[in-house]
C-alpha cells in the first residue's frame, strides 16, 4: 500500500505549476474524500493499536511505527460521520502537519490523482461536514471533498496564539502598529490563528481565501496608483489553496513590476526541507510552519529590520 505514493522529487515538479496531487479515500460510506499527497508519509494497514486512558473521543488509540508513537485519529468521526471500527484489515494514512506526525484511520484508499488548482473550488456554505472541508472538486464525474485537516487537529489539540511577553516588549515591534498585512489562506482555523497572533501587534489585516483573490486584490491596489511596498508591510500566504496556490501566487507577484518587491512569507502546515527549497524556487522571502506565534512575530521583526537597514 505504501507504494501508492510517488517519490518526493517527482511531486516537487508540480510546485509553481499550480498543480497538486490528491490522495483519495473513503471513510464510512461511498463519498470520496482527499488530502494533498505532500502531507502524506505513507499508507499502510493498521499496526497493533494500543488504547490510552482519557484519550480524546476522536482518537482510537496509538500505534508504534518504527519506534515512533503516533495517535490514530478516526477521521470519519472527527468530521461528523459515523465512527469507523478499527481492525486488523483497517487502513491508516500517516501524515505530517505543522511539525507533528499522526495517523488517520480511513475506510480505504482509492488512488492518487494529479490535478490543477483551478479545478479545486471552495466548498458550498452549508451545515454538516462542510465545515470540515477546505475545497471540493470532481474526478470522473464524482464529487471529491477535500478535508480541512487543520480544523480537525485544532479540535483535538487547540492551537495557542498567545505571544510571549518577552517578544511583545521588543521596541522594534512598535513599528508594526498600524501597518497593513495581507493574509491568504483557505483554512478558517489558520486565519484565526494569524489574526489572533498579529492582532497583538496592532497591525491592520486584509484577508483573501485563495491566491487568485489575493492577486486580484493586489492588482486592484496597484491599478489605483498605490505604491505596494508602502501599503503592505508583508504577505502571509498558505501553500495549498483552491484556484491558485501560494507558490503560483508568489510567482505572479514576482512577475509584476508593481508587486515584485513585496515581502512574501510562505505560511504553511507543510514542513521540512521541502518547503525551504520551494521558497527559493518560487521566490518567497521567508518560510514559517503554522501555529508558532513567537516565530511568527520573529518573522515580522525580521521584516521591520529590513526597513531599518534600508533607511
Amino acid at each position: 500500500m505504501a507504494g501508492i505514493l510517488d517519490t518526493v522529487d517527482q511531486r516537487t515538479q508540480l510546485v509553481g505549476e499550480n498543480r497538486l496531487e490528491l490522495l483519495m479515500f473513503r471513510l464510512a460510506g461511498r463519498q470520496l474524500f482527499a488530502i494533498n499527497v505532500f502531507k502524506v508519509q505513507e499508507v499502510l494497514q493498521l499496526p497493533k493499536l494500543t488504547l490510552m486512558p482519557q484519550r480524546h473521543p476522536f482518537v482510537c488509540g496509538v500505534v508504534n511505527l518504527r519506534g515512533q508513537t503516533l495517535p490514530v485519529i478516526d477521521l470519519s468521526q472527527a468530521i461528523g460521520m459515523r465512527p469507523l471500527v478499527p481492525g486488523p484489515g483497517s487502513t491508516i494514512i500517516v501524515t505530517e502537519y505543522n511539525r507533528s506526525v499522526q495517523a488517520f484511520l480511513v475506510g480505504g484508499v482509492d488512488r492518487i490523482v494529479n490535478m490543477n488548482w483551478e479545478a479545486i473550488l471552495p466548498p458550498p456554505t452549508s451545515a454538516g461536514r462542510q465545515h470540515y472541508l477546505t475545497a471540493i472538486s470532481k474526478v470522473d464525474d464524482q464529487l471529491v471533498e477535500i478535508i480541512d485537516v487543520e480544523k480537525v487537529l485544532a479540535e483535538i489539540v487547540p492551537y495557542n496564539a498567545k505571544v510571549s511577553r518577552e517578544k511583545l516588549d521588543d521596541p522594534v515591534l512598535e513599528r508594526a502598529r498600524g501597518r497593513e498585512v495581507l493574509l491568504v489562506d483557505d483554512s478558517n482555523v489558520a486565519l484565526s490563528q494569524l489574526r489572533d497572533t498579529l492582532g497583538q501587534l496592532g497591525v491592520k489585516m486584509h484577508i483573501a481565501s485563495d491566491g487568485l483573490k489575493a492577486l486580484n486584490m493586489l492588482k486592484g491596489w496597484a491599478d489605483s496608483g498605490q505604491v505596494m511596498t508602502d501599503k503592505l508591510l508583508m504577505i502571509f500566504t498558505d501553500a495549498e489553496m483552491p484556484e491558485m496556490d501560494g507558490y503560483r501566487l508568489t510567482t505572479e507577484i514576482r512577475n509584476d513590476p508593481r508587486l515584485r518587491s513585496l515581502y512574501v512569507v510562505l505560511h504553511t502546515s507543510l514542513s521540512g526541507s521541502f518547503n525551504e527549497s520551494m521558497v527559493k524556487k518560487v521566490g518567497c522571502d521567508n518560510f514559517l510552519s503554522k501555529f508558532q506565534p513567537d516565530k511568527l512575530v520573529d518573522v515580522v521583526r525580521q521584516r521591520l529590520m529590513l526597513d531599518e537597514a534600508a533607511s
Side-chain angles (χ1 to χ4, degrees), residues 58-262:
F58 300 161
V59 177
C60 307
V62 297
V63 295
N64 188 286
L65 197 60
R66 290 182 290 279
Q68 187 176 18
T69 301
L70 305 180
V72 178
I73 298 165
D74 182 345
L75 194 51
S76 182
Q77 186 177 10
I79 66 169
M81 298 175 64
R82 64 180 172 84
L84 296 168
V85 179
S90 296
T91 300
I92 58 171
I93 302 173
V94 180
T95 66
E96 181 180 0
Y97 284 82
N98 305 319
R99 310 166 316 283
S100 70
V101 179
Q102 54 281 308
F104 291 108
L105 181 70
V106 299
V109 166
D110 185 85
R111 58 193 160 117
I112 287 175
V113 290
N114 184 316
M115 300 188 71
N116 193 303
W117 273 110
E118 292 169 1
I120 310 296
L121 303 174
T125 53
S126 59
R129 68 169 180 262
Q130 305 300 334
H131 294 301
Y132 293 94
L133 306 180
T134 57
I136 59 171
S137 189
K138 276 198 170 181
V139 176
D140 299 335
D141 292 325
Q142 281 188 284
L143 181 69
V144 179
E145 300 183 350
I146 301 171
I147 293 177
D148 186 351
V149 178
E150 289 169 5
K151 179 175 175 61
V152 171
L153 295 176
E155 290 186 351
I156 296 171
V157 182
Y159 69 82
N160 175 21
K162 189 172 178 59
V163 181
S164 66
R165 174 50 55 188
E166 177 187 351
K167 297 287 183 183
L168 291 177
D169 286 342
D170 188 333
V172 172
L173 294 175
E174 275 300 312
R175 299 204 298 272
R177 191 165 300 278
R179 297 294 302 273
E180 298 179 44
V181 299
L182 175 60
L183 314 179
V184 192
D185 206 304
D186 60 330
S187 169
N188 288 329
V189 170
L191 284 173
S192 293
Q193 184 258 343
L194 279 169
R195 283 195 299 259
D196 292 349
T197 300
L198 294 173
Q200 296 168 67
L201 303 182
V203 299
K204 178 181 177 182
M205 291 166 268
H206 304 277
I207 291 172
S209 58
D210 63 62
L212 184 59
K213 290 185 178 69
L215 185 62
N216 289 337
M217 288 173 68
L218 292 168
K219 289 189 171 184
W221 288 326
D223 289 344
S224 70
Q226 298 186 65
V227 178
M228 296 309 298
T229 49
D230 291 343
K231 178 174 181 59
L232 290 178
L233 177 65
M234 58 205 307
I235 299 170
F236 291 93
T237 180
D238 188 20
E240 304 173 71
M241 292 175 290
E243 299 197 84
M244 181 183 289
D245 65 20
Y247 304 115
R248 181 60 176 271
L249 169 63
T250 305
T251 300
E252 294 291 336
I253 289 171
R254 298 303 180 224
N255 288 338
D256 189 323
R258 304 167 304 170
L259 309 177
R260 65 168 53 130
S261 296
L262 285 167

Side-chain angles (χ1 to χ4, degrees), residues 262-281:
L262 285 167
Y263 192 92
V264 181
V265 179
L266 189 68
H267 182 245
T268 173
S269 54
L270 292 165
S271 47
S273 59
F274 159 74
N275 259 313
E276 293 168 9
S277 62
M278 289 307 102
V279 162
K280 295 175 183 175
K281 179 177 178 179

